[in-house]
Amino acid sequence: MLFAIISEDVNDSLQKRLSVRPAHLKRLQDLQDAGRLILAGPHPAVESENPGEAGFTGSLIIAEFDNLAAAQQWADSDPYNAAGVYAKVTIKPFKKVFP
């Protein structure tokens, strides 16, 4: 089943994000390689694809997991969690309708 992992950053998270971004992206690449990643990306703090020092306010990942517990376990071990990037992470089942 698909799950949406909706993360909200702590204030001034940019440097924390940058410090562990390669490890975070590696995990997403592993999901992609397994054919389980639907989409992933951050929420810019300003209306720009490259927000610079404004940074980001959170992230959205939609991926396939066996169940909610597996999605939660995957999210809990995200390097962004260990680095203190996220203030809150919400995981919900997701039903893709379009496209």
Side-chain angles (χ1 to χ4, degrees):
M1 168 155 219
L2 296 179
F3 290 88
I5 301 171
I6 308 149
S7 306
E8 297 176 32
D9 283 20
V10 299
N11 291 331
D12 301 316
S13 63
L14 185 58
Q15 292 309 312
K16 291 177 183 180
R17 274 179 168 270
L18 293 175
S19 72
V20 293
R21 187 170 188 261
H24 172 77
L25 294 179
K26 165 78 170 83
R27 294 179 80 239
L28 291 171
Q29 186 63 56
D30 290 346
L31 279 178
Q32 175 72 22
D33 292 348
R36 296 172 38 206
L37 183 63
I38 303 302
L39 66 86
H43 301 285
V46 295
E47 286 186 50
S48 173
E49 289 195 25
N50 299 304
E53 290 300 314
F56 302 92
T57 62
S59 300
L60 172 63
I61 298 167
I62 299 178
E64 183 178 348
F65 294 93
D66 289 337
N67 51 49
L68 180 60
Q72 184 70 59
Q73 182 178 11
W74 188 91
D76 287 347
S77 38
D78 191 314
Y80 281 175
N81 272 330
V85 171
Y86 295 145
K88 179 180 177 185
V89 177
T90 303
I91 302 172
K92 298 179 177 185
F94 181 80
K95 181 180 175 187
K96 183 178 175 186
V97 177
F98 290 104

